[in-house]
Structures are given as structure tokens and as C-alpha cells.
Amino acid sequence: MKKVLILLTTLLFLTQSTIKANTPAPSEINKNGRPKVAIVLSGGGAKGAAHVGALKVIEEAGIPVDMVVGTSMGAIIGGLYSVGHTPECLDSILRVQDWTTLLTDRKKEQEQSFLARERNDNFILNIPLGKKNEKDSLQNTNSKAGIIEGRNVVKMFQKLIAPEYEGDIDFNKLPVRFACVAVDAASGKEVVFHSGRLDTAMRASMSIPGAFRPIRKDSMLLIDGGILNNYPVDVARKMGADIVIGVDVGDGLNNADHIKNMMDIANQIASIYETGKRKKNIKDTDLYIKVNTKGYSMASFTNEAIDTLIMRGEEAARAKFNKLKVLADQLGGNAQFLAGRGKHYEKKDSTHDDNEYEFQPFPDDAIGFSANFNQEEMASIIMQAHKTYNLFSTPAQIGASIRLGKRYKFCTNFSAMIKKGMYFDFNYEVGYNDMRFNKEGSSFANTTFSDNILSAGISTSWRWARIDGGVCFNNYNYKSMLIDRKHESDQFTDNMEGSKNFWNFYVSLGVNTTNKKQFATSGVKIKAEGNIFKGHEIAVNNRNTVYAASISGTLYAPLSRRLCLIPALYLRTLNKHSYTYGISNIIGGEWESHYLSMQIPFYGLSYIEWSDRTVAIARFQARYRMGKNHYLTGTFNAGNYGNGFKNLTDTKPLIGYGLNYSYDSFIGPLGFSISGSNISSKPNLLISLGYVF
């Protein structure tokens, strides 16, 4: 009789307008005589993390699982579970994700070349120009029908799927049979995936309208399955499930007070369309596990929210543990089922993979934009664009950038790859500066000047490092010079006005292994440079050659998930005492090379402090993360300058200290700092919003 009912149910489904992708034949009772068990996982965005907690308890109770069916986030959890990931492994995967990066198309730091990290560090927005340079990992998306392509999500799927389950496969041949639900936006009909590419099926099922770009498949345009079937018990029945255990993180229709963002609106629309089917599917569930997701939305992808939601899923399933245990005893337990679980996988941190990096000749073609406000310069903006093409069968890239504000700068550059990782570079930049120099905390000179720099050189880039060398022609045109006469020197005289020219022969090394562009918690930054400056106007006292050497290094050492220690060292020296200030050492401010390339940061000194030919600065910071995006940083730095290393101790040491609060916003850090030093009687206050450039 039972087989007859199953057959009749199958015929009924076949009369519906639902589209199926290689729909399997109805299954029969297992060879050992036990009924087939299906786990159904609903959609719900971030709330779907609760599925992992529920799966832990279901396995603990001893339930053998024959198939898993999911929609949206339920499809993701279910798909990974079906290929062998244990609940413990899924727990680890969810907790370690950088969700801000994962749910966008931004590249992780580990995936970017050194050049790409240096180029994109200061930009809020990067708009792709045409086709990406990298091998495309996501095909057939409709670029005009959603904001996010979902590239990072698909990459995560591909890393977490064993090689034997890549490509076009039959989902019925997975360790646990799998199906997921999407919707064809063109026809308005439901689409059930039973075969094809597993990563594509999961990505199609989670294509929230307006947020993620739909997936094109044949004549279909696939969007989030939650629109029509967010809790697909009927799909599990069609696959032959005799017993359905459902985990539901959906909330049904919400009132106006609980609709706060785009994700909530999308969830509300989905709930409106699938209300009727949802009620029927809940009624058809043999063991229904409803998770309390109050206080969380589809967009609650914070680490704290994920932790709580996993725990709530476990609590909801544990409330049904006695029923689960009775069912497991009737089914004979899951010892055989568990024996083959997790054979391909261990607990996995999918955010750190040394094999992620793939060499690219150049960073992706893009237009970049950023803005900054601080009380020293007021408002400023920067824009850049880069385009790659083939020059005589050689990859090449041209680019330009412009900075507008109190200081302006225009740059244009050309780079051609000589061989893999080696480039010929040609650059030109013109800029304008208005600067005030301090001496022991007091202002003594103001100058405005324009500069023209023309350079050519050879560079070699790796994943974490870059070496370059070449020659620059420098032209400084000093417009005005206002000097406090008691501080007049060889470097600062009225005679400095006019045009000054010199050559700079250079070689430099850059290393960057940090895990984030802002608020890094691990890695190092190293910068070293050697210079030979030549020209009749480069030095006073008729000296036309000056040698310079500099090195700086910063270490990010995590002590816990929230506390990071950041020691740093800065050294720069020149072999001559008297030279034009265009190459001289200056210290001060919170940011390295902010106004001039030789600027050394010093917390506690406001603006620019004039120094001697040799400078040594040590800095120590302790940064504590409060919540997800709030940071409190304490800074202490000390150093000195003098006429050579032997004379560093001849003058009074510089000591600076301060406290900074920062919020990591979507438009860049919002920072407020208060600092002081032993040469200034007044505290320094600084407010800044946006990336520094």
C-alpha cells in the first residue's frame, strides 16, 4: 500500500508546472528495509547558520540521513553536508569566514598581488572595466540584474568540494543525495537541481533578487529559490523520502518594525509568494524543528551572530532530542552512515589558503574612487583608472590617477611585462603642495611648491614583495617661502624660491604579508630604499651628490582574537648635512610618506617637524577590537635625530604618545585621536574619515 501511495504522489507532482533538472525516479525502501530519511533545510540568509547546530544534534541522536534538500542558505549548508563535511567541519567553516569579503566581489588580501594591494589600499570603490584579467570562476551571470556577482562565494564552494565532485555530476551519487531549489525569473517557475555543477546550483539557489546577480542556464534566469519554495519538503517527498526532518529558520511575514534593510525586504517578498506552499510543507513534515531567530535578520553575518545562531539551532534540535532518539532506534541507528562521513575533509579554515594566489600580469582593470576628510587638509578625493592591453604580444597596462584637494597631484603610468613577474615602468607625475614646517613644536616656515617627476625603471613583483630600480628626474618649483628669521638656515632661505632640478637614482624593496589592508592582525610590512641624488642644485655648499638610505618595518602580532601588538621601526640617513629640503628628513603626523616621500610618522607631533640628516624612530602600538568594527589603539613612540648616527644622543630625545578610537566603516576608517609629546605643551586632536592617500 505504501508503494502505491508513493507512486500516486509521484504522478501528482509530474502534472504540476514545476521545472525539474534531471528529476530522479522515486526511490524505494532501502535494501535493509528501513524507510528513507530526508533532512530539509530552509532558506534564511545568515539565520541559516542555525542549520549547523541542528545537524550536530541530529547526528548525535543517531539519525541515518539518506538525502538533504535545501533552499538558499539551506542549499549551501545542505550541499556541503552532502559531499561529506561533518557538522563540526561546517561549524569551523562558518566561524572563520570574513563575511564582509565573502559576500562581496572584493578580493581577499591573500589572492592579490603585491602591486594590486599597494594600488587598491586607498580606494573605497573599484568598478571593473570590462573583462577581468583572472580566469573567471563564475560564468553566465546577468551583470545588469544584481549588484554582487558572488565570485568569492563560488570560490569558497570550489575549495570545499572534493575533486571527484567537481564539474557536471549526478547529485544522487553524492555521499548523501542532494537537491536544491531556485526560481526561473523568466517563467516564474520553480527549478529543482538534481545534477550539474554543484557550486553553480548552490549559487543559483541563493541569488537574492537585486543583491546577487542571477545565473543564466539555457533559457532560464535563476534567482533565489526562497521566492517560491523556501522550505522544500515537497521536493524531498518527490525524491522518495519516507520520513522528513525539517529545520526551519524562516519567520514568515514580518511587521513593518522588523523590515530594516534590503535583505529583510527580499525575505518579506519571498514569504508573500510562498506562504501557501510553506504551510502545506510544514504540515507534511514528520519532525519539525523551528529555530528561534528573533533579533537576527538575513544580513546578520557578524561573528557574534553566527556563534549565537549555531547555538540556537542546536538548542532547537535538542528540544526534540527524545523524539529524534526514538526515531533513530526505530531506524537502527546511524553507525554505518557516520562511518563514511568526513573522509575527504578535516576542520577547515577556508579564509586562509596558501594556494589561493594565482599570478596575474597586472591588477584587474578598474576605475577607483576614494575620499578623505581630516582637520589638517579638510576634504580631498582621489580617482584612478587602469586598462590592460597587448603591446606586440606583450601584456601592458596604462593608467592615470588624480588627487584633488588642498594638495593636488596627477599621475600617469605605463608598464609592460618583459617576462613573468618582471616589468618595464614609465611614470610621470605633477603635484602641488602647501606645507608648514615646525621646529620643536613651533611653526617657523611655510612654503608652497609644485613638483614634476619623470621616472623610468625595471621592477620585479611576487606575491608578497616587489623590487624596483631606476632613475627619476625631479623638478621642484618653489613659489613662496615665509621664514621665521631666527630659524633661517641653509635649507630655509628666501633664495630657495625658483626652480630646482636634480636626478634620483634609486633601488627599493617592498614586502607586505598582512592579512588585511586596514586593521591588519598578522603579517609584516617592510620598506627599504637606497638613493643617489645628483645635480648642481641638490645640495648647498657646492656639493652636487648626496647619498640616502632608509628602512622601515612594522610587525602585526596577534595575542588573541581581539588584541594585536604592533611594533615598528623607522631609520633614514643622508651622508651630507646641508642639502635642499626637497630630499631632507621630516617627521610628524600619523601617516608615513603622506606629504613627502621621506616623511616619517611620529605620534604626538602635529603636522611636519624639521629634523637633521639622520633619524631613528621606534613605535609601539596595542590595538584592541571592540565588537566587530570598533578599535581602540594606544601608541607610544620615541626617537631622535642628529648629524649622523654617532650624534643621535646629543640632542633631547623625542617622546610621543596617544590614544585613538577608530570605526571601520564602509567608506573607510572613522578615527578620532588625541596625542601629545614632550616638546609640545598642548595636546593634538585629529579627526579623520576615509582612507589616507
Side-chain angles (χ1 to χ4, degrees):
M1 182 67 182
K2 192 169 195 177
K3 291 185 179 180
V4 173
L5 291 174
I6 292 173
L7 181 59
L8 290 173
T9 303
T10 301
L11 293 173
L12 179 63
F13 271 89
L14 289 174
T15 62
Q16 298 179 353
S17 61
T18 302
I19 300 174
K20 289 127 178 127
N22 292 335
T23 304
S27 67
E28 299 178 352
I29 302 297
N30 287 347
K31 292 180 180 180
N32 60 5
R34 114 171 132 74
K36 285 202 162 188
V37 179
I39 305 292
V40 175
L41 306 176
S42 76
K47 295 181 291 184
H51 293 318
V52 173
L55 287 171
K56 288 181 183 180
V57 178
I58 291 170
E59 283 198 358
E60 180 187 337
I63 300 292
V65 182
D66 298 290
M67 63 191 77
V68 60
V69 181
T71 298
S72 196
M73 190 64 166
I76 295 172
I77 301 297
L80 296 178
Y81 185 75
S82 72
V83 297
H85 286 283
T86 65
E88 291 73 22
C89 181
L90 293 172
D91 183 296
S92 176
I93 292 168
L94 288 183
R95 292 180 191 271
V96 301
Q97 294 302 321
D98 177 2
W99 290 98
T100 301
T101 299
L102 185 65
L103 296 175
T104 65
D105 293 324
R106 295 187 307 185
K107 282 190 174 183
K108 303 172 188 177
E109 295 293 312
Q110 292 87 350
E111 295 178 340
Q112 299 183 49
S113 66
F114 180 88
L115 181 59
R117 291 198 301 275
E118 292 292 301
R119 179 177 292 176
N120 298 327
D121 268 0
N122 299 326
F123 292 88
I124 299 170
L125 180 66
N126 275 292
I127 304 171
L129 287 176
K131 196 174 181 180
K132 292 180 177 288
N133 297 319
E134 66 176 346
K135 183 180 180 181
D136 207 341
S137 60
L138 185 64
Q139 300 176 353
N140 300 323
T141 59
N142 190 319
S143 62
K144 298 181 179 180
I147 300 172
I148 304 168
E149 188 174 12
R151 184 174 301 274
N152 289 335
V153 173
V154 172
K155 284 184 176 181
M156 182 193 72
F157 296 161
Q158 293 172 343
K159 287 195 304 177
L160 297 176
I161 297 172
E164 58 262 45
Y165 306 134
E166 295 177 348
D168 289 324
I169 60 171
D170 183 353
F171 298 169
N172 297 299
K173 296 181 180 180
L174 296 173
V176 177
R177 292 176 62 195
F178 174 68
C180 65
V181 179
V183 171
D184 177 18
S187 67
K189 295 179 180 179
E190 182 179 322
V191 178
V192 181
F193 282 93
H194 294 284
S195 66
R197 287 188 62 92
L198 185 59
D199 55 352
T200 301
M202 292 190 292
R203 170 62 179 83
S205 184
M206 57 160 284
S207 299
I208 299 171
F212 286 92
R213 298 175 188 175
I215 300 294
R216 293 192 68 92
K217 180 177 175 60
D218 301 324
S219 62
M220 298 183 293
L221 193 65
L222 301 173
I223 59 176
D224 196 306
I227 299 294
L228 294 181
N229 198 355
N230 198 48
Y231 181 59
V233 173
D234 56 325
V235 176
R237 293 295 187 190
K238 180 65 177 84
M239 293 172 65
D242 301 298
I243 299 171
V244 173
I245 300 172
V247 185
D248 189 2
V249 299
D251 295 324
L253 293 174
N254 293 312
N255 59 41
D257 293 336
H258 292 87
I259 303 174
K260 300 178 180 179
N261 51 52
M262 185 175 65
M263 291 287 232
D264 291 339
I265 292 175
N267 185 52
Q268 190 80 347
I269 294 171
S271 297
I272 293 172
Y273 278 99
E274 64 108 25
T275 296
K277 178 173 281 191
R278 177 185 181 85
K279 290 180 180 179
K280 183 179 178 181
N281 281 335
I282 291 174
K283 188 177 180 179
D284 196 28
T285 305
D286 297 292
L287 205 160
Y288 181 63
I289 300 172
K290 182 66 175 76
V291 182
N292 173 22
T293 59
K294 185 178 180 180
Y296 297 96
S297 72
M298 296 176 67
S300 298
F301 285 102
T302 65
N303 293 331
E304 291 78 8
I306 296 296
D307 291 346
T308 302
L309 287 163
I310 292 174
M311 181 184 66
R312 288 191 182 182
E314 186 171 350
E315 290 174 348
R318 200 162 295 282
K320 302 290 180 72
F321 188 80
N322 290 338
K323 292 182 179 181
L324 288 167
K325 191 66 177 172
V326 169
L327 178 59
D329 292 341
Q330 294 173 349
L331 296 170
N334 64 348
Q336 185 177 358
F337 169 76
L338 293 178
R341 300 293 296 163
K343 64 179 182 179
H344 296 293
Y345 309 99
E346 299 176 354
K347 289 186 178 181
K348 192 163 186 176
D349 180 347
S350 66
T351 65
H352 298 87
D353 189 342
D354 290 336
N355 297 319
E356 285 186 9
Y357 177 73
E358 183 177 337
F359 174 79
Q360 292 179 240
F362 297 100
D364 293 332
D365 298 344
I367 296 175
F369 172 84
S370 194
N372 177 271
F373 173 86
N374 66 74
Q375 63 194 65
E376 290 182 357
E377 298 183 82
M378 302 307 289
S380 54
I381 62 173
I382 187 171
M383 294 174 287
Q384 73 167 10
H386 292 89
K387 183 67 177 177
T388 305
Y389 64 99
N390 285 328
L391 179 66
F392 305 114
S393 301
T394 299
Q397 189 171 78
I398 57 173
S401 65
I402 185 170
R403 185 193 197 281
L404 302 175
K406 182 180 178 181
R407 299 179 293 121
Y408 70 77
K409 179 179 288 187
F410 172 77
C411 303
T412 182
N413 56 79
F414 165 83
S415 184
M417 191 171 73
I418 303 171
K419 63 179 184 179
K420 185 177 180 179
M422 182 174 286
Y423 304 87
F424 169 76
D425 305 303
F426 183 83
N427 304 279
Y428 170 73
E429 65 180 64
V430 57
Y432 171 86
N433 245 318
D434 182 357
M435 297 178 59
R436 183 181 77 247
F437 290 90
N438 292 355
K439 187 71 172 181
E440 297 180 355
S442 300
S443 176
F444 78 95
N446 278 81
T447 181
T448 60
F449 66 90
S450 61
D451 60 294
N452 292 269
I453 302 175
L454 188 68
S455 66
I458 302 293
S459 64
T460 300
S461 289
W462 299 273
R463 182 178 181 180
W464 305 117
R466 174 181 170 93
I467 296 176
D468 62 337
V471 59
C472 295
F473 176 77
N474 295 259
N475 168 260
Y476 284 81
N477 190 11
Y478 301 104
K479 306 293 184 181
S480 63
M481 183 72 67
L482 302 176
I483 302 171
D484 184 344
R485 293 299 178 184
K486 67 180 181 180
H487 292 291
E488 187 173 10
S489 65
D490 289 337
Q491 286 82 13
F492 289 94
T493 68
D494 292 334
N495 295 329
M496 284 293 299
E497 295 184 10
S499 181
K500 308 293 181 183
N501 305 306
F502 59 88
W503 295 89
N504 174 16
F505 300 88
Y506 67 92
V507 60
S508 67
L509 166 68
V511 177
N512 186 349
T513 68
T514 56
N515 61 336
K516 297 180 182 177
K517 70 175 180 180
Q518 298 290 331
F519 306 105
T521 56
S522 65
V524 297
K525 286 185 177 180
I526 299 173
K527 182 180 179 181
E529 184 170 349
N531 307 88
I532 302 175
F533 301 104
K534 294 187 71 69
H536 294 293
E537 298 164 326
I538 191 66
V540 297
N541 301 330
N542 296 318
R543 298 190 177 108
N544 61 7
T545 302
V546 174
Y547 302 96
S550 62
I551 186 170
S552 62
T554 305
L555 171 67
Y556 298 86
L559 292 188
S560 68
R561 289 181 60 185
R562 296 187 177 276
L563 180 62
C564 184
L565 302 183
I566 313 170
L569 181 66
Y570 303 88
L571 298 172
R572 190 172 190 263
T573 187
L574 299 96
N575 72 318
K576 306 290 186 183
H577 179 65
S578 298
Y579 39 79
T580 178
Y581 76 86
I583 65 169
S584 59
N585 294 321
I586 56 174
I587 60 176
E590 297 184 12
W591 307 299
E592 184 177 3
S593 303
H594 186 45
Y595 295 98
L596 293 171
S597 61
M598 58 281 196
Q599 180 181 347
I600 298 173
F602 195 92
Y603 219 84
L605 299 182
S606 64
Y607 221 64
I608 299 299
E609 190 78 15
W610 176 256
S611 66
D612 215 325
R613 72 182 180 96
T614 300
V615 179
I617 304 291
R619 186 181 71 194
F620 180 82
Q621 293 180 308
R623 185 179 66 214
Y624 185 79
R625 177 172 60 85
M626 304 173 294
K628 181 183 180 183
N629 295 320
H630 301 268
Y631 298 86
L632 192 64
T633 305
T635 302
F636 176 83
N637 48 203
N640 218 332
Y641 58 82
N643 186 20
F645 285 104
K646 294 181 179 179
N647 303 107
L648 283 176
T649 58
D650 292 347
T651 57
K652 180 181 178 181
L654 298 174
I655 297 175
Y657 43 84
L659 187 67
N660 173 270
Y661 161 78
S662 295
Y663 172 70
D664 190 12
S665 76
F666 72 98
I667 58 172
L670 169 62
F672 173 81
S673 61
I674 180 170
S675 62
S677 70
N678 63 337
I679 63 172
S680 178
S681 58
K682 299 187 298 182
N684 304 311
L685 301 176
L686 179 65
I687 299 173
S688 178
L689 174 62
Y691 299 115
V692 178
F693 45 82

